[in-house]
């Protein structure tokens, strides 16, 4: 409902011979004639009056543009949203004649929603902006900008499904975009989606690459480097994770971060203690601590697999129950975890279910499914033993020869060759 003063002004305009000029004057001065409480109703009355008078499509479109610019200067986000919603209804009733004004209103409403941290509403209102239309030409770079903005808003509310849909749209055009900031936001959104979907290896690689970009501040680069370490730690143990840990460990900047101790232990295949894991978990995000289908957390599963990998470096063989005690599991669960890693090519070894023993092999797994199975372990152990005995015998022979050269009399008297 319009205030009395605005109501009188609109009545005067209805009888005016230059309605366009009078509307322009009223729009520019409305903030002086209306109180903050009255402003939403007055602006709504003005936009309704513009379309109620037959002043021609060109004049109406021009006035709508001025109206939208005026709405952008309003300080109250609630007013922007309230008036914007009404204006959208008015514009949409006019077919496609006001697509530019519709896009501008949606954009300023999205900004208002973002200021109020209502990211879901911001994403929805931005998604309604027409980007493909004969009435409105939108540059490819602007399309990418809108899609990435929508993606970021959906990520703020953890809706990775819709976020990925809009990021995939941007992916088809990002290669022709030269704007560095836009490319940065794209890479960051991509890493965040991979992180949220628990594709931790790809997320770690993405975060690490972003941490080298000079376009962001040093503090932000260290933050993304920290995220890279967290994702690398959460990655399932195996050769791919080992390479990622190696990249991060060799990065001199990681030594200044809180996550460095656990990074170092994992890279060197050292066992992790429960208190170290608990301290690391304090810095993780909720989705990184979510429980998997078997009831364990992503972190707990990653730590168990890492400690199993560490145990394979310490032992040639170990019983199910002893391994379970080391991993904090029962013997059967330890066997199941080992079997899965061997089957997936992330650990090399053999399981003797009759004797309830696990035999580990040296070297690095290839990561190919089924490649972790070790055949003929007993024969290989015997060959290794024979090699050790042969080496010892050769060393004894070398010592004897050296004694004969240096102390021939002693050898002739005390040693029988």
């Amino acid at each position: 409902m319009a205030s009395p003063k605005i109501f009188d002004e609109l009545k005067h305009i209805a009888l005016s011979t230059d309605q366009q000029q009078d509307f322009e004057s009223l729009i520019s001065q409305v903030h002086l004639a209306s109180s903050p409480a009255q402003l939403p109703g007055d602006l709504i009355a003005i936009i309704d009056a513009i379309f109620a008078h037959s002043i021609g499509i060109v004049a109406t479109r021009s006035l709508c543009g001025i109206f939208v610019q005026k709405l952008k200067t309003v300080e109250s986000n609630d007013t922007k949203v309230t008036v914007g919603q009404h204006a959208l209804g008015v514009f949409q009733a006019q077919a496609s004649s006001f697509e530019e004004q519709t896009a501008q209103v949606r954009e300023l409403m999205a900004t208002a929603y973002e200021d109020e941290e209502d990211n879901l509403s911001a994403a929805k209102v931005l998604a309604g902006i027409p980007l493909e239309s004969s009435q409105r030409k939108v540059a490819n770079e602007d399309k990418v900008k809108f899609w990435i903005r929508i993606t970021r808003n959906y990520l703020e509310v953890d809706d990775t499904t819709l976020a990925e849909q809009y990021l995939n749209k941007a992916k088809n055009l990002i290669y022709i975009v030269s704007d560095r900031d836009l490319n940065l936001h794209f890479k960051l959104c991509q890493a965040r989606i991979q992180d949220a979907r628990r594709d931790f290896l790809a997320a770690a690689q993405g975060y690490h690459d972003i941490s080298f970009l000079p376009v962001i501040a040093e503090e932000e680069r260290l933050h993304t480097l920290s995220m890279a370490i967290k994702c690398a730690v959460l990655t399932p143990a195996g050769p791919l994770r080992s390479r990622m840990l190696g990249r991060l460990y060799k990065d001199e900047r990681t030594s200044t971060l809180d996550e460095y101790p656990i990074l170092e232990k994992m890279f060197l295949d050292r066992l992790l203690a429960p208190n170290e894991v608990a301290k690391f978990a304090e810095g993780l995000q909720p989705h990184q601590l979510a429980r998997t289908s078997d009831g364990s957390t992503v972190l707990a599963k990653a730590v168990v697999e890492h400690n199993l990998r560490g145990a394979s470096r310490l032992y040639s063989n170990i019983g199910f129950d002893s391994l379970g005690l080391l991993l904090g599991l029962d013997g059967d669960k330890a066997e199941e975890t080992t079997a899965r890693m061997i089957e997936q090519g992330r650990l090399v070894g053999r399981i003797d279910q009759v004797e309830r023993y696990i035999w580990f092999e040296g070297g690095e797994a290839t990561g190919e499914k089924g490649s972790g199975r070790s055949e003929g372990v007993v024969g290989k152990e015997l060959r290794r033993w024979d090699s050790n005995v042969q080496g010892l015998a050769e060393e004894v022979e070398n010592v004897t020869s050296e004694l004969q050269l240096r102390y021939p009399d002693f050898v002739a008297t005390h040693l029988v060759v």
Side-chain angles (χ1 to χ4, degrees):
M1 185 68 181
S3 63
K5 189 169 183 180
I6 295 298
F7 183 77
D8 290 341
E9 289 290 338
L10 291 176
K11 285 177 62 178
H12 170 73
I13 292 175
L15 302 174
S16 172
T17 57
D18 191 355
Q19 292 182 344
Q20 181 177 358
Q21 182 65 38
D22 290 341
F23 269 122
E24 290 179 5
S25 177
L26 178 59
I27 293 171
S28 64
Q29 301 296 321
V30 66
H31 65 287
L32 300 176
S34 304
S35 66
Q38 295 173 328
L39 188 57
D42 289 344
L43 288 171
I44 289 173
I46 291 173
I47 193 65
D48 286 341
I50 290 174
F51 282 90
H53 295 77
S54 300
I55 57 177
I57 186 65
V58 176
T60 302
R61 190 177 294 162
S62 175
L63 288 174
C64 287
I66 296 172
F67 178 86
V68 172
Q69 294 304 316
K70 184 63 180 180
L71 186 58
K72 289 181 180 179
T73 65
V74 174
E75 294 183 0
S76 170
N77 288 324
D78 289 338
T79 298
K80 289 179 179 178
V81 171
T82 301
V83 177
Q85 288 174 338
H86 184 83
L88 286 180
V90 174
F91 293 155
Q92 289 169 355
Q94 308 300 318
S96 60
S97 301
F98 295 89
E99 288 187 353
E100 182 63 37
Q101 290 77 15
T102 296
Q104 291 177 5
V105 169
R106 285 185 176 275
E107 192 172 355
L108 73 88
M109 287 177 64
T111 301
Y113 281 130
E114 289 169 348
D115 290 343
E116 299 298 322
E117 298 184 356
D118 187 356
N119 298 98
L120 181 59
S121 295
K124 289 180 177 179
V125 77
L126 284 170
I129 295 177
L131 299 180
E132 302 289 345
S133 171
S134 59
Q135 300 292 326
R136 180 171 179 264
K137 181 67 175 177
V138 181
N140 287 333
E141 188 166 309
D142 291 331
K143 291 179 183 178
V144 173
K145 188 179 299 183
F146 277 115
W147 288 328
I148 290 180
R149 187 177 178 185
I150 294 171
T151 299
R152 294 176 67 188
N153 276 291
Y154 275 126
L155 284 174
E156 290 300 318
V157 294
D158 294 326
D159 191 337
T160 54
T161 302
L162 287 176
E164 189 171 20
Q165 286 182 12
Y166 284 97
L167 190 70
N168 286 337
K169 292 182 178 182
K171 188 183 297 184
N172 295 327
L173 294 176
I174 192 66
Y175 68 94
I176 62 174
V177 174
S178 58
D179 187 288
R180 291 191 307 172
D181 292 341
L182 208 53
N183 276 276
L184 168 63
H185 288 307
F186 174 83
K187 292 178 181 178
L188 188 57
C189 286
Q190 192 171 46
R192 289 181 62 185
I193 289 174
Q194 290 164 339
D195 184 356
R197 294 174 68 86
R198 299 180 187 171
D199 186 1
F200 293 118
L201 179 62
Q205 292 170 340
Y207 283 131
H208 193 218
D209 291 341
I210 293 170
S211 73
F212 289 110
L213 298 178
V215 70
I216 57 177
E218 177 65 20
E219 183 179 353
E220 290 299 319
R221 289 202 295 270
L222 290 178
H223 175 70
T224 54
L225 181 60
S226 171
M227 292 300 298
I229 295 175
K230 292 174 182 176
C231 289
V233 169
L234 295 173
T235 300
L240 296 178
R241 189 198 68 162
S242 297
R243 285 195 285 271
M244 189 66 233
L245 290 173
R247 281 182 59 189
L248 292 167
Y249 185 72
K250 293 173 184 177
D251 191 327
E252 296 179 353
R253 300 171 299 167
T254 57
S255 61
T256 64
L257 300 177
D258 295 337
E259 295 80 11
Y260 181 74
I262 197 168
L263 168 65
E264 183 178 38
K265 279 201 164 186
M266 280 199 156
F267 174 70
L268 298 176
D269 286 328
R270 296 173 181 169
L271 299 180
L272 296 174
N275 62 320
E276 295 173 315
V277 177
K279 183 179 179 181
F280 175 75
E282 294 175 358
L284 297 181
Q285 298 178 19
H287 74 271
Q288 295 172 328
L289 293 171
R291 295 194 176 276
T292 58
S293 57
D294 61 0
S296 62
T297 64
V298 177
L299 175 61
K301 191 173 181 179
V303 170
V304 166
E305 291 186 351
H306 166 75
N307 282 344
L308 175 54
R309 181 182 168 87
S312 72
R313 298 289 191 265
L314 296 174
Y315 298 92
S316 294
N317 56 72
I318 188 171
F320 290 177
D321 295 328
S322 298
L323 179 60
L325 185 63
L326 191 66
L327 301 179
L329 305 172
D330 58 50
D332 292 338
K333 189 67 175 177
E335 178 202 3
E336 180 185 335
T337 303
T338 306
R340 183 177 63 251
M341 291 185 66
I342 291 175
E343 178 63 25
Q344 294 174 351
R346 296 188 286 128
L347 186 70
V348 181
R350 175 177 174 273
I351 297 176
D352 186 340
Q353 292 181 314
V354 177
E355 299 293 335
R356 291 180 61 82
Y357 257 81
I358 298 169
W359 297 78
F360 296 116
E361 291 294 314
E364 185 69 64
T366 64
E368 296 181 6
K369 188 174 181 180
S371 64
R373 299 175 187 172
S374 176
E375 303 295 343
V377 174
V378 175
K380 190 170 183 178
E381 288 294 324
L382 287 176
R383 288 195 298 273
R384 184 182 298 170
W385 177 263
D386 290 344
S387 177
N388 290 338
V389 171
Q390 180 181 352
L392 178 61
E394 289 175 352
E395 288 297 326
V396 171
E397 179 68 23
N398 291 336
V399 171
T400 304
S401 298
E402 190 69 22
L403 286 173
Q404 286 178 330
L405 290 173
R406 295 192 180 189
Y407 309 104
D409 295 338
F410 174 83
V411 172
T413 306
H414 295 83
L415 295 181
V416 178
V417 180

